[in-house]
Amino acid sequence: MAEDLASAVSTLYEQAELALIEKVTTALAEGLDSPLWAQMKLASIGHLRTAIEDIIAALQASAVPAIYEAVAQAYDRGSQAAVAELGALAPTVKAIPAGTQAVDRLAAALVQETGATHMRILRTGMDVYRQVIAEASSAPLLGATTRRDAAARALAKFADRGVTGFVDRTGRPWNLTSYTEMATRSAVGRAAVQAHTDRLAAAGVDLVLVSDAPEECSRCKPWEGTILTRDGAGGADTITVEHATEDGRMVEVRVAGSLPEARAAGLMHPNCRHSIAIYLPGVTRPRPKPPSRATYEQTQQQRYLERQVRAWKRRAAGAVDEDARKRANAKVREYQGRIRTLVAETGLPRKSHREQLATAR
């Protein structure tokens, strides 16, 4: 429901990361063959710091309104979905005021979370700059390689990993763009679900149905097609409730748990394909499961190949000479070929936008 909204925010951070790579590479490549190169680079370190601070200032000025817009749109979509589901059952639900407090709370939390990455951008840029100077200056003295080769190798490592050092609650490390996308997907997903359930709560609806999505992961599979209570402690149970359209008629409903319980177990994680819908006792019938085009593992393989395409494009952006750029572009074409083979064998759709890098600005 809100998957596309995260890209508007993550693209800004990808642009900032690319701008950082290009600034550092350009600053180091200038005068690389001069015998006074190291002294000149250390003397101009203040200029690089100013340039990186300008990148961060531009990022912050663009990211904050983009975050609020994404969360607000996600909340609105969730609300509209609930209104459409309720239909004639609760026409007055359309008059319920928008959840501005919920939007502000979720957006502010995301601004704080992503804002903490900004100082990491400055630190990474300065650390890499000094590291390349040190490696390029010392390598020729040891007879290992030329200064240009040493600088190119160090910059290629930087382009590969980008700005790193972000660890989620499970201990998994991320680079800047992936971390921001994950955090934003989580936030806009929460906004859409909260709006949806807020509207259902206002209409007195307590039961929801989890969709049955193709290529599901192991965390979501136990909850597919199940009926959940909108809130509460959870726990599977069979409850007796009134029929949705026939007064006085009671029906039994098997409840798998509560929505908070399912989400705590992993349902609706970032990149999750599942959604919820209103469940009307005695009326709602399970929808047939969409056919799977491939396994979950194959979808993850596709995402891995897409990341490799982007990684080699970053390396091309950070190349200090034309030969290195050509080698990086050849690797881009190699991984794109592997993606074409995978989608031909599985029937998965190729998502070319996930192979693209934003243009640094």
Side-chain angles (χ1 to χ4, degrees), residues 28-38 40 146-149:
L28 289 167
E30 186 178 359
L32 187 56
D33 297 319
S34 169
L36 299 177
W37 174 78
M40 291 189 298
T146 66
R147 179 197 296 157
R148 179 174 290 276
D149 289 342

Side-chain angles (χ1 to χ4, degrees), residues 212-224:
D212 207 346
E215 297 109 37
E216 74 281 0
C217 70
S218 58
R219 288 183 292 171
C220 298
K221 191 169 185 177
W223 303 100
E224 282 200 321

Side-chain angles (χ1 to χ4, degrees), residues 67-351:
I67 285 172
Y68 273 85
E69 177 68 16
V71 173
Q73 285 192 39
Y75 194 94
D76 183 63
R77 290 183 187 181
S79 177
Q80 293 300 321
V83 169
E85 289 172 2
L86 290 165
L89 291 176
T92 58
V93 75
K94 296 180 181 180
I96 299 174
T100 53
Q101 290 183 344
V103 170
D104 287 345
R105 183 177 67 253
L106 289 166
L110 182 57
V111 167
Q112 183 176 9
E113 186 173 0
T114 55
T117 68
H118 296 175
M119 287 308 298
R120 186 71 185 177
I121 296 173
L122 177 61
R123 179 177 175 181
T124 297
M126 302 305 295
D127 286 352
V128 167
Y129 186 80
R130 294 188 181 96
Q131 178 187 347
V132 173
I133 295 173
E135 291 188 14
S137 299
S138 61
L141 298 177
L142 300 175
T145 184
T146 66
R147 179 197 296 157
R148 179 174 290 276
D149 289 342
R153 187 168 58 249
L155 285 168
K157 291 179 183 177
F158 172 43
D160 279 348
R161 65 177 183 263
V163 180
T164 60
F166 311 106
V167 179
D168 64 18
R169 296 173 185 174
T170 67
R172 178 182 174 184
W174 300 78
N175 80 331
L176 173 66
T177 303
S178 298
Y179 178 82
T180 303
E181 183 175 18
M182 177 274 295
T184 307
R185 282 179 181 270
S186 297
V188 298
R190 286 195 298 270
V193 171
Q194 181 166 339
H196 200 150
T197 54
D198 285 350
R199 291 296 188 265
L200 296 182
V205 174
D206 188 49
L207 299 177
V208 295
L209 178 67
V210 180
S211 66
D212 207 346
E215 297 109 37
E216 74 281 0
C217 70
S218 58
R219 288 183 292 171
C220 298
K221 191 169 185 177
W223 303 100
E224 282 200 321
T226 61
I227 301 165
L228 304 174
T229 55
R230 182 176 41 75
D231 55 18
D237 194 13
T238 299
I239 60 175
T240 303
V241 294
E242 188 175 22
H243 193 283
T245 58
E246 300 180 22
D247 293 340
R249 179 183 171 187
M250 307 303 290
V251 295
E252 289 188 345
V253 176
R254 176 66 178 174
V255 173
S258 69
L259 181 57
E261 177 189 11
R263 295 181 68 183
L267 181 68
M268 297 184 178
H269 55 81
N271 299 325
C272 182
R273 297 184 177 92
H274 292 87
S275 60
I276 59 169
I278 186 173
Y279 179 81
L280 302 175
V283 175
T284 303
R285 294 289 179 265
R287 296 177 180 176
K289 181 182 178 68
S292 293
R293 298 158 294 193
T295 65
Y296 174 73
E297 289 72 22
Q298 287 170 325
T299 66
Q300 296 309 294
Q301 181 185 6
Q302 183 180 10
R303 293 188 73 86
Y304 164 76
L305 295 174
E306 291 163 350
R307 288 194 298 272
Q308 294 304 307
V309 170
R310 295 198 303 272
W312 282 101
K313 285 184 176 180
R314 283 200 304 272
R315 183 175 285 203
V320 295
D321 55 49
E322 189 60 30
D323 287 342
R325 189 172 295 107
K326 287 180 178 179
R327 288 193 296 271
N329 286 330
K331 295 294 288 186
V332 169
R333 292 191 293 272
E334 175 189 330
Y335 278 103
Q336 288 175 331
R338 292 173 62 179
I339 292 174
R340 286 193 295 271
T341 300
L342 178 65
V343 299
E345 291 175 348
T346 62
L348 286 169
R350 184 174 180 181
K351 299 183 178 180

Side-chain angles (χ1 to χ4, degrees), residues 5-16 176-178 180-182 184-185 358:
L5 298 176
S7 64
V9 177
S10 64
T11 294
L12 292 172
Y13 281 81
E14 185 174 61
Q15 288 172 334
L176 173 66
T177 303
S178 298
T180 303
E181 183 175 18
M182 177 274 295
T184 307
R185 282 179 181 270

